[in-house]
Amino acid sequence: MDDNPYDIPKFYHDDDFMDSGDARPLRILSEYFGPQNRFEKFNVEDTIVFFGSARIKSEEEAKAAMAEAKRTGNGLRKAEQMMKVSRYYEETRELARRFTEWSKTLTDDERRFVVCTGGGPGIMEAANRGASEGKGINVGLNISLPFEQSENPYITRELALEFHYFFMRKFWFIYLAKAVLVMPGGFGTLDEFCELLTLIQTQKIKKKMPIVLYGSDYWNKVVNFEALCEFGTISEEDLDLYLVTDSMDEAFEYVTKGLLEHALETPGPML
């Protein structure tokens, strides 16, 4: 006979409580300790992070959209835009593959410089896909959003992590990162890039980290960082915090050289 006729859940099994405002600190802590446990379990020491637009399609998808637009006469301008920027998907994919294959030559014991993305489609998918094609594990830090954001199929299953809080997701991006590549993107990409620069500028991040702003045609039109110098709102040396390039070879060399010089002997997360 059941000694307890009341089916009373413990508080940590009580969905109403766990979803309440009072339990918010517990939810925040879960997005700290949960990912930490997963990274330790899979021996992920640090990452190479890719930021970029969720809307950029692969060359294959862009060509199919172009063919359909020409056939129907509808959406031609959008298809042309998609085709123009699809190169960034393919170049992200190739860079992620190169970094993954390179990182696997460094050590047999630890997983160093693992490709990490926001877990969604577009540039994020391209980077996870390239890492997968390089036969390495990769990380996807997904965020629950009402549109666009859905987990792409190329993330290593056990390292596909779902976040509710943007600031906890951002923490794990930066805490593990030893290099960052910023591909063309929208508000979210700008937010992540500018916040990263702010943390470095204010010395909240002290680790030396190669940062690449990839796609000069795009970025020179979207943001005029030199104007910030002209108006005195940043220092001229702040422009040296990152490399602007259109070359996969230059980006690969810049990042790998920086990692070998500043990060190889200091495994593990840090700020």
Side-chain angles (χ1 to χ4, degrees):
M1 182 176 180
D2 191 348
D3 292 332
N4 183 5
Y6 304 104
D7 185 17
I8 303 174
K10 295 180 175 66
F11 284 110
Y12 53 81
H13 288 156
D14 185 333
D15 290 341
D16 289 337
F17 171 69
M18 290 303 296
D19 290 338
S20 70
D22 288 336
R24 183 173 292 111
L26 300 179
R27 296 196 298 274
I28 292 169
L29 284 173
S30 74
E31 293 196 352
Y32 175 79
F33 288 111
Q36 177 176 265
N37 175 268
R38 198 72 58 85
F39 293 132
E40 288 176 352
K41 182 178 180 180
F42 287 89
N43 205 22
V44 175
E45 290 286 341
D46 32 39
T47 60
I48 298 175
V49 171
F50 283 82
F51 293 135
S53 175
R55 303 185 185 192
I56 293 177
K57 306 297 184 183
S58 68
E59 185 177 319
E60 181 182 7
E61 289 179 284
K63 285 180 177 178
M66 177 68 77
E68 180 65 12
K70 288 180 177 178
R71 186 185 70 81
T72 63
N74 296 321
L76 186 58
R77 182 173 179 273
K78 184 177 180 180
E80 289 172 344
Q81 288 177 327
M82 188 186 301
M83 192 71 234
K84 182 177 181 181
V85 297
S86 67
R87 56 165 284 215
Y88 296 118
Y89 180 106
E90 301 304 334
E91 289 169 22
T92 297
R93 178 179 169 185
E94 173 63 14
L95 277 167
R97 182 191 64 79
R98 288 194 202 180
F99 286 131
T100 299
E101 292 178 347
W102 169 79
S103 70
K104 288 162 61 181
T105 68
L106 299 175
T107 174
D108 294 327
D109 301 322
E110 301 161 333
R111 289 182 168 127
R112 300 298 309 276
F113 313 133
V114 174
V115 166
C116 175
T117 79
I123 291 297
M124 295 171 280
E125 175 188 288
N128 291 123
R129 183 176 180 178
S132 179
E133 289 168 344
K135 295 181 169 52
I137 66 169
N138 62 86
V139 178
L141 307 182
N142 202 46
I143 185 79
S144 300
L145 295 177
F147 57 90
E148 280 185 4
Q149 189 75 9
S150 58
E151 178 186 311
N152 73 67
Y154 300 100
I155 308 166
T156 300
R157 181 185 296 274
E158 297 84 356
L159 294 171
L161 309 181
E162 186 78 11
F163 288 82
H164 173 74
Y165 296 104
F166 264 110
F167 68 92
M168 290 307 302
R169 178 181 184 238
K170 287 180 176 182
F171 170 80
W172 281 111
F173 272 136
I174 301 307
Y175 192 38
L176 284 178
K178 295 294 174 66
V180 175
L181 290 97
V182 185
M183 313 304 283
F187 289 146
T189 303
L190 284 166
D191 170 57
E192 289 154 341
F193 178 56
C194 290
E195 185 169 42
L196 174 61
L197 294 183
T198 300
L199 291 170
I200 294 172
Q201 185 191 56
T202 57
Q203 298 185 30
K204 297 299 182 182
I205 292 177
K206 293 184 172 63
K207 59 187 172 185
K208 291 188 177 296
M209 193 163 43
I211 302 169
V212 173
L213 199 58
Y214 196 91
S216 61
D217 286 347
Y218 179 84
W219 289 112
N220 287 339
K221 288 180 181 178
V222 170
V223 185
N224 187 350
F225 288 109
E226 287 75 13
L228 298 178
C229 284
E230 292 175 15
F231 284 100
T233 52
I234 66 171
S235 302
E236 191 170 336
E237 55 266 26
D238 290 331
L239 297 178
D240 296 329
L241 295 175
Y242 56 88
L243 169 74
V244 181
T245 185
D246 294 295
S247 166
M248 285 191 290
D249 290 339
E250 185 178 23
F252 181 80
E253 182 179 352
Y254 179 77
V255 168
T256 53
K257 180 180 179 182
L259 291 174
L260 290 174
E261 288 181 2
H262 303 297
L264 186 61
E265 303 303 321
T266 54
M270 63 178 64
L271 293 174

